[in-house]
Amino acid sequence: MLLSHRARLLELWRIAASYRIDTHIPLDDAPQMQSVARLIRLHPAAWGKKHQPNAIKYALEDMGTLFLKLGQLLSTRRDLVPPEIIEQLIQLQDQVKPFDPEIAIKQIQDPKQGLGQSVNTLFARFDNKPLAAASIAQVHTAALTDGREVVVKVVRPDIRTTIIADFELLRELASWISARVEAARAVHIIDIVEDYRQVMLNELDLTLEADNTTKMRNNFLGSALMYVPEVYDASKNIMVMERIQGVPISQVETFDKLGYDRAALAEKGLTIFFTQVFRDNFFHADMHPGNVFVETPPVKTLSAAMSDETSSARLGHQPRYIGLDCAIMGTLSKEDQMIVARMLLAVMNNNFTALVDIVSRAGWIPPNTDKHALMRDMSRTVGPMLQKSINDIDFAGVLMQILDIARRHHMSIPPQLMLLLKTLVHVEGLGRDLYPDLDIWSLAKPILSGWIKEQLDPMRNLQQLRTQLPEILLSSTDIPKLLDQSLQSLASQGSRQDSQLREIQQIRADMLNDRRRDWIALAGFGVFVAIATQVGFLAPIFYILALLAVVWRILA
């Protein structure tokens, strides 16, 4: 099955052996990894070599972008990964091996995929030493000709070929696993790989990231929660954006020295997540600590704020989050938004009967599923989470149990929700580091309840209907044509449908005769909608009249 990728597999084996990453695997805590460690030691590249510092970091760098991304994801999971490995993985957030600055300058000046002008023309100052280097790109600081401080993001050279090759390998692995593991089929692992492949390829186009950044910036303009830097220029391989002042969210010691309220900061972060998912339906899906910063005071007051005598709060600084690296963004359909919100609210209300009913109505389980057994399993697995703080919840363990429940009950989880689950893993990991005692349930419940109430508000729905009314009226003109097509289709089936044909023809005749009256009724309903959404204190009256008009037309 994997013979076509034999060279790549051998390369990965050689890299693992040359860095002796087997000496970093805690075999006592993970005995199932002993066979992996033995396989690594068998490679000639491992012979004669001993334990090497930072071996896992260097190995993942040499393995390529996909493995760097995996390391970044695991870097937020202190509950799953031993501390000595975590310290290596954290460096992958912004301390990946940089590439030659001369290559970066050539990329910037490239007329096709760069900015097409010399660095000296574009910038008053360009700093050759990278500020940070990550899996996809590295960042240089610079100043525009008008003095504004900026950062210049440059995509790594020749990265696309490697990513495409690795995804071909990953897809074959996914196919192999899917054919043998039912839980993999339940989460549509092949579709997930294909979706993530496209996401990764999109991440290489910085014009898309620039558009995403601008959109998220507009969503949070004037917000006390988050600030998104302004993009000044962008091409396929280059992006120039405003330089911000802040520190990664992982630097909790800095927050303590600045006098930041870590509990309030954690609550603010969770509010941002739910705001992005439900209000904006546009959420950051790559929230490792290298992409999430927190504002620090202006340079003139920073040293004072770091002293023991002066806190940032007394300096009047209320920190916001800073959103960076908007390459991977997620969206949900309106239906999926409502399903996710109702599911979370059902869990928070300890109502697992409602949870199973929502899953059933969404079509995620077969009609013959034993719903009572599914309800018991979900209650036993998810229920204990409700009384715990984020530090006491094993999200990864619970997620694996839920996937096992999905397998046993033949539940099908839509692929579009897996990106959201990945984001939740990131958010949970960040919250665990920032403020372990955060009560995510009490904070999330009013946010979700308010959003659902807003979605079900009759006046809001009437306003939407008013907007869509012209399209509805125009589409109604197609009904006779559709009926004619249906008649022709039924006629071809023979005389068995004669009686049905006569009934449909009568309906069509009645509709054509009443067409003028229908137009008047629809127009009248449109007037009711327009008035109901504009006149405040009379709105309920017109709303009731509009409903009565609809009922009258149905019964007429």
Side-chain angles (χ1 to χ4, degrees), residues 115-134:
L115 300 180
Q117 299 182 61
S118 72
V119 169
N120 293 332
T121 302
L122 291 166
F123 307 107
R125 187 194 79 251
F126 181 83
D127 301 323
N128 284 339
K129 184 179 179 181
L131 175 67

Side-chain angles (χ1 to χ4, degrees), residues 13-52:
W13 183 22
R14 178 192 61 77
I15 293 171
S18 63
Y19 286 104
R20 288 301 308 270
I21 65 172
D22 57 295
T23 62
H24 292 258
I25 299 175
L27 300 179
D28 293 338
D29 297 331
Q32 66 273 20
M33 295 296 292
Q34 290 182 359
S35 58
V36 176
R38 284 194 295 268
L39 180 63
I40 292 173
R41 289 194 293 267
L42 285 175
H43 197 284
W47 300 348
K49 293 183 179 179
K50 298 181 180 179
H51 181 90
Q52 304 174 41

Side-chain angles (χ1 to χ4, degrees), residues 340-361:
V340 170
R342 292 179 62 205
M343 286 176 63
L344 289 172
L345 206 55
V347 169
M348 293 173 192
N349 290 328
N350 208 20
N351 189 347
F352 293 96
T353 302
L355 177 65
V356 173
D357 183 61
I358 293 166
V359 170
S360 176
R361 291 176 181 272

Side-chain angles (χ1 to χ4, degrees), residues 26 74 76-82 86 394-397 425 428 432:
L74 292 176
T76 66
R77 301 312 310 261
R78 294 183 182 272
D79 56 321
L80 300 179
V81 182
I86 280 286
D394 178 12
F395 271 83
V425 172
E428 181 265 333
R432 186 185 297 273

Side-chain angles (χ1 to χ4, degrees), residues 8 19 69 106 109 114 138 141 201 217 233 271 302 315 318 334 388 437-438 443-444 446 519 523-524 545 554:
R8 179 59 170 152
Y19 286 104
K69 288 289 185 182
K106 288 181 180 178
Q109 297 178 162
Q138 71 184 30
T141 53
L201 292 177
R217 174 180 170 83
D233 200 357
T271 302
L302 180 58
L315 289 168
Q318 298 298 325
K334 285 294 182 183
K388 298 180 180 179
D437 294 326
L438 177 67
L443 179 64
W519 275 97
L545 290 174
I554 293 173

